[in-house]
Amino acid sequence: MDSTREVDVVVIGAGQAGLSAAYHLRRSGFEPERDFVVLDRSPAPGGAWQFRWPSLTYGKVHGMHSLPGMELSDADPARPSSEVVGEYFAGYERAFGLRVRRPVHVRAVRDAEEDGDGTGRRLLVETDAGVWSARALINATGTWDRPFWPRYPGRETFRGRQLHTARYKGPEEFAGLRVVVVGGGASGTQHLLEIAPYAATTTWVTRRPPVFREGPFDEDAGRAAVALVEERVRRGLVPRSVVSVTGLPLNEAIRQGLRDGTLDRLPMFDRITPDGVAWEDGRHVDADVILWATGFRAALGHLAPLRLREPGGGIRVEGTRAVADPRIHLVGYGPSASTIGANRAGRAAVRDIRRLLREPSPSFAVA
């Protein structure tokens, strides 16, 4: 591309949060391509869902919430969630004419020079498809591109296979193998329950004892969980996931895993050996595979030139707005990482951006 394209708003990411934001922009009178553009790194509609393992059927998905303005209904619970959600997101983009550009990799977002007429600073969004200049940015990049691998002594000596949830394809590939699953979240328990019938042995290790939640997860409990995550981002700390503070739902599959020993949990090992994992008390478990179900971190590296991170490692956010720069909104981050939270965050971000664009000049200090 020979020149920089100017728009009011750039949305980065077309998962649940990005599509929700694009919907509310469109509903507020912003025209796709003329007033805003949606850039997505993925090859097809579906956000991170398109990369989920085939055995994660739609019926196993916890709390998938419809996008605003168009219900997801009558989905076959036996179909892979990647197919169900991918088709739903594709239909949503068509229905509202969102015209998502993909695949586009955003390399960096930088502060531009002040406009010649003094009306305020713009952002330069640098991508492998050219550069966009924007007055505001909605970042909805999620976490899938940043799987978290904890560091443990001896990891490089292990002679077996190590993989992360992001590369998990299904239980069949573990047939006859001794598998250690690391992580106490929903993915870890799902992997264990799937792999156990195929593997020679499975071992579950977690840093903290898992918390299983009995009974319905009502609105009050949801608000309390979100408030805990929100407090961290207000303080500029790295956000914990909403799921990490809600506990694991005690459904029938989990109950069976507890009864038959599949979900017998060991504390985190102290080191990795060439042929397994070991604890300081002398215990050793032989392993052919270590599966790290250890979660993800927010994919925010492209925002580094803006210097938004706090000493605590996170970005201070009020609502969806970055405290250090009111032009930047983070949706699907921290308390809005759930699907229903992403919908609300998209609406809130657009409301704040409309207010910002009416002001003659954003009031903030650029480092």
Side-chain angles (χ1 to χ4, degrees):
M1 189 179 70
D2 297 328
S3 61
T4 299
R5 284 171 266 196
E6 289 194 357
V7 290
D8 286 326
V9 185
V10 170
V11 180
I12 306 177
Q16 184 99 13
L19 292 182
S20 171
Y23 167 86
H24 286 292
L25 284 168
R26 189 83 198 264
R27 193 177 180 195
S28 298
F30 292 82
E31 284 296 322
E33 295 294 310
R34 186 193 72 187
D35 303 318
F36 75 95
V37 65
V38 183
L39 309 176
D40 188 38
R41 184 174 183 173
S42 298
W49 291 98
Q50 66 194 274
F51 306 114
R52 305 289 187 184
W53 50 98
S55 56
L56 181 61
T57 58
Y58 185 66
K60 296 179 182 178
V61 170
H62 297 303
M64 173 65 195
H65 198 272
S66 294
L67 285 158
M70 182 172 150
E71 289 296 315
L72 171 54
S73 58
D74 301 322
D76 182 353
R79 289 187 68 201
S81 59
S82 57
E83 296 179 6
V84 172
V85 179
E87 291 173 8
Y88 171 55
F89 280 17
Y92 190 86
E93 292 174 18
R94 289 193 301 270
F96 296 105
L98 299 181
R99 300 175 65 181
V100 177
R101 290 176 176 254
R102 61 167 61 89
V104 176
H105 171 52
V106 177
R107 295 171 175 149
V109 180
R110 305 181 189 279
D111 191 59
E113 294 297 325
E114 186 170 342
D115 292 348
D117 61 3
T119 58
R121 306 179 74 97
R122 296 181 72 92
L123 297 159
L124 292 181
V125 182
E126 301 173 359
T127 83
D128 59 359
V131 180
W132 276 266
S133 169
R135 298 173 67 192
L137 179 125
I138 297 176
N139 191 85
T141 46
T143 62
W144 189 259
D145 291 335
R146 283 199 65 205
F148 175 60
W149 294 74
R151 295 182 181 180
Y152 276 87
R155 197 175 81 178
E156 69 285 352
T157 71
F158 184 61
R159 289 192 291 256
R161 180 189 179 199
Q162 297 186 65
L163 74 157
H164 190 275
T165 290
R167 295 292 177 264
Y168 177 81
K169 300 300 182 187
E172 295 83 1
E173 61 183 320
F174 303 100
L177 301 178
R178 299 164 297 180
V179 183
V180 173
V181 176
V182 184
S187 294
T189 56
Q190 287 173 1
H191 294 338
L192 279 159
L193 295 174
E194 288 189 354
I195 291 170
Y198 293 85
T201 63
T202 59
T203 303
W204 187 28
V205 297
T206 70
R207 283 194 303 129
R208 292 182 294 271
V211 176
F212 296 101
R213 186 184 74 241
E214 295 250 25
F217 188 65
D218 59 22
E219 192 172 332
D220 288 341
R223 279 198 295 265
V226 168
L228 290 173
V229 180
E230 196 166 31
E231 175 59 23
R232 288 184 63 85
V233 300
R234 280 205 200 97
R235 293 161 55 198
L237 301 176
V238 175
R240 292 175 65 188
S241 69
V242 174
V243 172
S244 73
V245 296
T246 62
L248 296 163
L250 197 55
N251 56 32
E252 184 51 40
I254 294 289
R255 292 180 194 278
Q256 181 58 41
L258 291 170
R259 286 193 294 265
D260 64 24
T262 301
L263 295 181
D264 285 348
R265 169 259 180 193
L266 294 177
M268 195 64 201
F269 49 75
D270 295 297
R271 68 184 184 279
I272 300 172
T273 69
D275 54 2
V277 295
W279 289 257
E280 291 298 342
D281 63 7
R283 177 168 37 189
H284 186 277
V285 170
D286 293 335
D288 303 300
V289 179
I290 301 175
L291 173 52
W292 298 89
T294 43
F296 299 80
R297 296 294 183 265
L300 301 174
H302 53 288
L303 301 181
L306 298 175
R307 301 179 183 178
L308 302 175
R309 287 196 184 273
E310 300 289 330
I315 296 176
R316 274 185 69 210
V317 172
E318 289 285 352
T320 64
R321 175 179 55 83
V323 172
D325 189 333
R327 300 170 300 176
I328 310 297
H329 285 259
L330 303 182
V331 296
Y333 176 80
S336 65
S338 65
T339 55
I340 188 169
N343 285 355
R344 293 169 177 165
R347 182 174 63 246
V350 171
R351 183 178 61 244
D352 279 1
I353 285 173
R354 290 178 64 197
R355 186 181 305 118
L356 173 75
L357 298 186
R358 288 196 298 266
E359 296 175 359
S361 177
S363 54
F364 65 99
V366 177

